[in-house]
Amino acid sequence: MLQQTRVDQAIPYFHRFTEQFPDVQSLAQAERQDVLKAWEGLGYYSRARNMQDAARSVVNNLNGRFPDTPENIRALKGIGPYTSAAIASIAFGHPAAVVDGNVIRVISRLFGIGEDVSTTRVKKEIQELADELIDSGRPGDYNQAVMELGATVCTPSNPDCLECPVSLHCTAFNTAQTESIPYKAPKKKVPHHQIVVGICRNESGRLLIALRPEDKMLGGLWEFPGGKVEPGEQHKQALERELKEELGVETVTGAKLTEIKHAYSHFKITLHAYLSSITKGEPKAKASRELRWIRPDELQDYPFPRANRKLTEILQTYLASL
Ligand code: SF4
């Protein structure tokens, strides 16, 4: 829950979630929809799905016993090096060093690493230094102490070096480089597109989805019809234009269902999803390979790009609440 979400936001979710699913068995056996419902509002629903898949694999493959080494913990779905090291060290006393943004800052300053810390090579170097530094007698305390040092003392700007317990050993402090370390190469500004999509439902409650052309980006995946907002356009105007171009129908835009941000490797999007009613015409696949009217419970059966997949989850929760 704490990946991408602040502690104060996560606390009430944590209490509700652990009351509803008090152990790994109950989480593994729960209906997916119940887990997603308990997660509703936290966003990044893949975390909930991954956690339940991990619970299922603990129950089905590991006799209900949570693994206790970083390698085996990392084999669970949704768990990467950071989380596995945190769990292994804090819960099981395994000497696995946690490396997050705070730790990167502390270690790079401590050792005076002036190179770009966002590169894989430097990150690996920092992980190796962190692994050497870890106190194997109290690895959980050590990890939490370094993260806390980074969060409270060795802050990005104006670190409180005079109060810092490791200042004597700190290269950046002793060579007046705390301003320039850690160094991150400036990121190139990536384009950010506003995308509008329409959720069209027919009288029997089926939803309209479109198959992207094979030769386009995300080809072969399904999506809700829509497109890019052109400069100067309102969302409603853009959506009704797009649906006319893509489906050959007249529509009226209804309530906004959600807004989803997503970053691809070379651009970002904000996807605005609206309920749409077709007022004239029969939809035709003018810009897609195929159109289908599907039942909401069939959404899981179709491959969707990430942002649309997020939308299907939100949509299913919304439709279930009707
Ligand atoms: S001495 Fe300053 S720069 Fe070095 S670790 Fe401590 S707070 Fe960070």
Side-chain angles (χ1 to χ4, degrees):
M1 281 181 188
L2 293 176
Q3 293 170 351
Q4 318 282 348
T5 304
R6 291 203 321 270
V7 177
D8 56 338
Q9 273 183 311
I11 285 172
Y13 281 96
F14 177 79
H15 287 309
R16 280 199 300 270
F17 199 91
T18 47
E19 259 167 44
Q20 198 174 345
F21 310 109
D23 52 34
V24 72
Q25 280 80 11
S26 56
L27 180 59
Q29 284 155 12
E31 291 295 325
R32 183 71 108 202
Q33 284 304 297
D34 293 339
V35 176
L36 290 173
K37 188 76 187 160
W39 202 267
E40 191 182 346
L42 270 178
Y44 298 91
Y45 293 83
S46 59
R47 295 179 296 172
R49 288 199 309 273
N50 286 341
M51 188 161 62
Q52 191 184 26
D53 289 345
R56 287 176 174 167
S57 104
V58 168
V59 168
N60 297 332
N61 309 329
L62 302 169
N63 292 325
R65 210 179 149 73
F66 199 88
D68 59 3
T69 64
E71 298 74 31
N72 293 343
I73 294 170
R74 201 181 309 171
L76 296 173
K77 204 164 169 197
I79 297 188
Y82 167 78
T83 312
S84 64
I87 297 172
S89 63
I90 296 168
F92 300 110
H94 196 97
V98 164
V99 175
D100 67 354
N102 287 323
V103 177
I104 287 175
R105 190 164 55 254
V106 172
I107 302 246
S108 61
R109 284 175 171 165
L110 207 49
F111 290 91
I113 299 170
E115 294 163 286
D116 184 356
V117 293
S118 58
T119 64
T120 312
R121 185 180 58 76
V122 176
K123 275 190 193 149
K124 189 165 170 273
E125 188 187 338
I126 289 176
Q127 179 73 58
E128 285 165 4
L129 289 167
D131 288 336
E132 278 173 32
L133 280 183
I134 196 161
D135 178 345
S136 53
R138 295 171 66 191
D141 289 346
Y142 167 85
N143 276 332
Q144 293 183 73
V146 180
M147 288 191 278
E148 200 63 11
L149 183 70
T152 58
V153 180
C154 192
T155 48
S157 52
N158 298 323
D160 197 356
C161 300
L162 297 181
E163 292 294 326
C164 177
V166 296
S167 59
L168 271 183
H169 313 281
C170 179
T171 307
F173 173 57
N174 291 303
T175 57
Q177 291 188 87
T178 55
E179 299 283 293
S180 56
I181 295 177
Y183 170 73
K184 276 189 202 154
K187 285 195 186 132
K188 287 193 200 113
K189 201 164 164 30
V190 294
H192 191 151
H193 305 302
Q194 304 299 319
I195 307 289
V196 280
V197 297
I199 309 296
C200 303
R201 280 190 299 154
N202 66 11
E203 297 100 36
S204 51
R206 285 175 178 258
L207 301 160
L208 185 62
I209 58 172
L211 181 60
R212 289 181 68 86
E214 207 63 52
D215 56 345
K216 291 263 173 69
M217 187 184 162
L218 308 171
L221 299 181
W222 293 80
E223 65 181 4
F224 294 95
K228 225 184 266 180
V229 179
E230 299 295 346
E233 267 186 330
Q234 299 294 318
H235 287 181
K236 171 180 158 60
Q237 193 186 1
L239 181 57
E240 291 170 9
R241 172 186 56 72
E242 282 286 345
L243 295 183
K244 186 161 193 177
E245 286 169 12
E246 285 198 6
L247 311 173
V249 292
E250 303 282 344
T251 55
V252 171
T253 306
K256 183 168 184 177
L257 188 64
T258 189
E259 180 175 310
I260 295 163
K261 291 189 189 333
H262 186 67
Y264 292 98
S265 54
H266 51 291
F267 65 94
K268 292 180 186 171
I269 61 164
T270 301
L271 187 144
H272 308 267
Y274 289 85
L275 300 177
S276 282
S277 307
I278 297 173
T279 52
K280 195 171 164 200
E282 199 54 43
K284 290 182 198 63
K286 290 164 79 92
S288 55
R289 267 173 61 197
E290 190 186 331
L291 297 176
R292 258 188 219 178
W293 289 100
I294 62 164
R295 293 196 314 271
D297 64 354
E298 293 174 320
L299 284 167
Q300 293 301 332
D301 302 338
Y302 291 82
F304 284 92
R306 179 94 51 104
N308 270 261
R309 171 55 71 201
K310 283 187 197 159
L311 174 55
T312 67
E313 289 159 6
I314 294 167
L315 181 57
Q316 281 176 318
T317 305
Y318 165 74
L319 293 171
S321 71
L322 291 179

